[in-house]
Amino acid sequence: MADDSQAFSKSTIGSYAAVGDSFTEGVGDPGPDDAFIGWADRLAVLLSDQHPEHAFRYANLAVRGRLLDQIVEEQVPRAKELRPDLVTFCAGGNDILRPGSDPDDVAERYEAAVVDLAGSVGTVLVCTGFDTRGIPVLRHLRGRIATYTAHVRAIADRHGCPVLDLWSLRSVQDRRAWSDDRLHLSPDGHTRVALRAAQVLGLQVPADPDQPWPEEGQRSPAEVRRDNIHWAREHLVPWIGRRLRGESSGDHVEPKRPDLLPL
């Protein structure tokens, strides 16, 4: 596992703003009132535990479906206005999924945003892509995602950013780390990412994010086939339909926590 931890004191991070798309909004990890929880909310709780009650403040600006340029236009200026001690900046994944996308070009625009953010906030934590070799929907994009991940690590090196290295987090390569749509993490997957992010920030965590999953019985070919048919009907076809119509799952969705509020 890559070691990107930094020696933060418990009182260093008193405010946190999460910037990104569905991954950071928490899609796949349902909460009350039709909202999502997700790894960023879970990380905020771990950070708030280092402070007196209500002293820690948190904003989540992420919106599902957003492309990098939309995130830079809509969320980065707001994060700069808030001036938190920490920003997690996870973006570009939706761009990489698009046919014909160029990870070199996406990374160039990503770096410009990192530089812009770093001039206004305390710390910018960046996120790599996942290793998608075991994910049916994304397996064929593994080379493109790996290229973008290498760029993100290089950007972090150039600008002194801690890295949430999702590629090296082996536990999220298990299918149980992913929701039924196979594009977003499950609640357990989000929890493991939050624990890893907390480790990167130097916190002691209550569990190892890479601990092995419980043993699981072997699924029969018929069960696998049935799951694949269900997934295609319930998730793949609607996803393709939105793409053909030029729609996004984030149309008319607002950030769930646009202000730095106490937890």
Side-chain angles (χ1 to χ4, degrees):
M1 181 178 68
D3 183 6
D4 292 293
S5 61
Q6 296 192 359
F8 293 91
S9 71
K10 291 184 178 181
S11 61
T12 297
I13 303 174
S15 56
Y16 164 36
V19 170
D21 52 29
S22 59
F23 168 60
T24 300
E25 185 186 351
V27 174
D29 186 5
D33 301 323
D34 296 323
F36 294 104
I37 302 173
W39 71 271
D41 288 15
R42 296 177 184 278
L43 172 61
V45 171
L46 293 171
L47 288 167
S48 71
D49 286 344
Q50 313 303 313
H51 298 270
E53 188 176 5
H54 304 309
F56 180 83
R57 296 174 301 139
Y58 169 57
N60 190 315
L61 309 177
V63 176
R64 70 200 77 165
R66 290 300 193 261
L67 299 169
L68 174 60
D69 289 345
Q70 294 173 312
I71 292 169
V72 170
E73 179 181 353
E74 299 168 5
Q75 299 176 33
V76 168
R78 179 58 178 158
K80 291 167 61 180
E81 288 177 4
L82 295 173
R83 302 182 70 85
D85 297 323
L86 171 70
V87 167
T88 54
F89 182 49
C90 304
N94 288 324
D95 299 74
I96 298 300
L97 291 178
R98 296 210 157 193
S101 66
D102 180 358
D104 299 332
D105 174 66
V106 177
E108 185 175 339
R109 290 181 280 125
Y110 183 91
E111 182 166 16
V114 169
V115 171
D116 190 25
L117 271 171
S120 300
V121 305
T123 296
V124 180
L125 181 146
V126 299
C127 308
T128 74
F130 292 94
D131 184 350
T132 58
R133 59 184 166 181
I135 305 174
V137 187
L138 305 177
R139 185 184 297 125
H140 69 288
L141 296 174
R142 190 180 185 220
R144 195 186 300 171
I145 295 169
T147 299
Y148 188 58
T149 286
H151 276 302
V152 169
R153 292 206 65 98
I155 291 165
D157 287 345
R158 285 194 289 270
H159 302 289
C161 299
V163 181
L164 175 53
D165 188 355
L166 302 171
W167 189 277
S168 72
L169 187 59
R170 292 167 297 179
S171 62
V172 295
Q173 293 169 16
D174 189 286
R175 70 181 186 88
R176 288 168 287 182
W178 295 85
S179 66
D180 289 343
D181 69 6
R182 305 184 186 181
L183 288 170
H184 300 99
L185 293 173
S186 67
D188 283 341
H190 277 285
T191 297
R192 288 171 182 259
V193 169
L195 290 169
R196 178 61 186 131
Q199 285 182 331
V200 170
L201 296 172
L203 275 64
Q204 295 293 322
V205 296
D208 178 5
D210 241 346
Q211 64 182 317
W213 292 82
E215 290 294 328
E216 186 180 36
Q218 186 72 27
R219 294 192 302 160
S220 70
E223 289 175 317
V224 172
R225 191 162 51 247
R226 186 165 56 250
D227 284 350
N228 288 339
I229 292 171
H230 173 78
W231 165 75
R233 181 186 302 118
E234 297 296 322
H235 302 288
L236 180 61
V237 171
W239 183 73
I240 293 173
R242 287 195 301 271
R243 289 300 180 92
L244 293 175
R245 293 190 299 270
E247 298 174 355
S248 167
S249 59
D251 289 345
H252 313 298
V253 175
E254 298 294 328
K256 64 182 180 181
R257 196 178 175 96
D259 298 305
L260 283 175
L261 299 174
L263 282 181

